[in-house]
Amino acid sequence: MPSATTIKLNSGHEMPLVGFGLWKVNNDTCADQVYNAIKAGYRLFDGACDYGNEVESGQGVARAIKDGLVKRSDLFLVSKLWNSFHDGPRVAPICKKQLQDWGIDYFDLYIMHFPIALKYVDPEVRYPPGFTDENGKVTPGKASIQETWTAMEDLVEKGLCRSIGVSNFRAVLLMDLLRYAKVKPAALQIEHHPYLMQESVVKYAQDEGIAVTAYSSFGPQSFLEMDMQQAKDAPLLLEHPAIKKIAEKHGKTPAQVLLRWATQRNVAVIPKSNNKDRLAQNLDVLNFDLKDEDMKEIKGIDKGLRFNDPLNVSHGLLLLVRDNLG
């Protein structure tokens, strides 16, 4: 029997289990990729202001709606609040700018990208944002997570977001947030693949009714083009003997096995591709089940190996951030 295709969020809304991630999607192809993904059946698109392609993503959405492929209500559009906009009064203005870039009235899910506040940099000075300020330095901000979350709760009240969530949080940070949150996080997005399973974080979030979304489901694959030595040194999950063996057994691709490993445990995934066949394959990961022995074998691959480590892109303050990431 086919698995459910959505996760019911604690906010009452339905989130697709399989979506399309917009990280590192080039500006010159982004609109077409979003359009073609919608045409292929994707309904969730996961973006962020620091990806620098929200305008183009919105263009792809607008074209699909204009051509009658979907209605806005058929889509689940996700974006994220960047670190330099954590000060309470900065949250709503940047969210409104992002909505304007997308050409939409609301986000289905708006996520705090990292549990860290950085110095505010005016979008007129630098946009998309990054880890460094206008002087090229990593400068901490003063906003607490509580201040930022309270401002995000106001976005829900104002109708700018239907659900709000967090990303890169460990369980201890979730525990703290839940002490004062008036609006419970609907989702937690984390790096999650067989090299970095984060079982305790996943279990805690799901036990609290917080949906989990995995990014970088293929492990080092996403980081090779960033010339990251850690990714180069790690055997590709898509070529791992255990993954390939399980794929052959089920008549699926290694990518489908990796995605099904997550979705079978009710963890959403957001892969991307500009290849028509792979687009369809990545979406087709809910109509088969891995056996218990398959899941046990994949569990044995875990190395606690994180690739999205701020130390790989910056230093100083981010030494502290690394130890608090989920």
Side-chain angles (χ1 to χ4, degrees):
M1 184 177 179
S3 299
T5 60
T6 63
I7 299 175
K8 182 70 171 286
L9 301 180
N10 59 39
S11 59
H13 300 286
E14 299 277 348
M15 181 179 77
L17 258 176
V18 182
F20 188 94
L22 294 164
W23 181 47
K24 296 196 284 100
V25 174
N26 294 335
N27 294 80
D28 58 345
T29 63
C30 185
D32 285 341
Q33 284 187 250
V34 169
Y35 180 87
N36 290 331
I38 291 174
K39 200 171 183 179
Y42 286 82
R43 295 296 178 262
L44 184 155
F45 291 86
D46 181 84
C49 66
D50 76 302
Y51 297 170
N53 56 16
E54 293 198 293
V55 170
E56 294 80 4
S57 299
Q59 290 169 349
V61 166
R63 179 180 159 202
I65 292 174
K66 181 180 178 182
D67 289 353
L69 298 182
V70 289
K71 300 175 183 177
R72 169 63 184 94
S73 57
D74 297 327
L75 299 173
F76 193 96
L77 303 179
V78 183
S79 193
K80 304 178 186 75
L81 175 75
W82 186 247
N83 311 334
S84 52
F85 304 108
H86 274 213
D87 294 335
R90 307 290 186 187
V91 173
I94 194 62
C95 180
K96 290 176 181 177
K97 172 180 167 45
Q98 291 175 258
L99 287 169
Q100 184 176 19
D101 286 348
W102 274 87
I104 58 178
D105 297 324
Y106 66 91
F107 286 120
D108 294 277
L109 175 62
Y110 194 59
I111 293 172
M112 190 187 305
H113 207 148
F114 282 94
I116 173 177
L118 294 177
K119 177 187 175 185
Y120 173 71
V121 178
D122 193 307
E124 295 294 328
V125 174
R126 177 183 177 182
Y127 200 85
F131 277 105
T132 57
D133 61 22
E134 67 274 20
N135 298 313
K137 297 180 179 179
V138 178
T139 307
K142 296 182 179 180
S144 65
I145 292 175
Q146 182 172 3
E147 177 184 346
T148 306
W149 187 254
T150 299
M152 290 178 67
E153 291 175 325
D154 288 341
L155 300 179
V156 178
E157 182 70 23
K158 293 174 181 176
L160 299 176
C161 309
R162 292 191 167 177
S163 302
I164 51 177
V166 294
S167 181
N168 299 304
F169 272 48
R170 292 181 69 180
V172 66
L173 290 178
L174 277 180
M175 290 178 191
D176 187 58
L177 181 109
L178 290 174
R179 289 188 306 107
Y180 52 77
K182 295 178 181 177
V183 177
K184 195 173 186 177
L188 165 68
Q189 190 173 121
I190 55 172
E191 181 179 347
H192 182 64
H193 45 74
Y195 282 159
L196 184 69
M197 295 189 180
Q198 304 203 75
E199 290 181 297
S200 61
V201 179
V202 173
K203 184 179 187 307
Y204 178 75
Q206 291 181 335
D207 286 349
E208 288 292 334
I210 300 170
V212 178
T213 297
Y215 67 78
S216 299
S217 293
F218 304 144
Q221 190 76 28
S222 301
F223 298 88
L224 288 174
E225 63 191 73
M226 300 170 69
D227 200 33
M228 186 182 294
Q229 190 61 47
Q230 192 175 23
K232 292 179 182 179
D233 293 340
L236 293 178
L237 279 171
L238 294 172
E239 297 178 6
H240 194 285
I243 302 299
K244 290 176 70 174
K245 182 182 72 173
I246 294 168
E248 289 172 8
K249 182 171 75 173
H250 290 276
K252 300 294 181 180
T253 68
Q256 287 176 309
V257 168
L258 291 169
L259 296 174
R260 185 58 182 144
W261 169 76
T263 60
Q264 190 165 313
R265 294 177 296 110
N266 215 33
V267 174
V269 292
I270 45 174
K272 70 171 185 290
S273 178
N274 57 8
N275 177 281
K276 184 178 179 181
D277 291 336
R278 284 196 294 272
L279 267 179
Q281 290 170 359
N282 290 346
L283 195 58
D284 184 27
V285 293
L286 301 175
N287 63 356
F288 72 100
D289 286 334
L290 301 176
K291 305 296 184 183
D292 289 343
E293 60 264 27
D294 299 332
M295 301 297 277
K296 184 177 180 180
E297 188 165 8
I298 294 173
K299 186 175 181 178
I301 298 174
D302 193 4
K303 298 176 181 292
L305 185 55
R306 185 185 304 279
F307 298 103
N308 188 27
D309 187 336
L311 284 178
N312 290 321
V313 294
S314 191
H315 298 278
L317 167 73
L318 300 182
L319 279 164
L320 300 176
V321 180
R322 177 188 60 183
D323 295 330
N324 285 292
L325 291 183

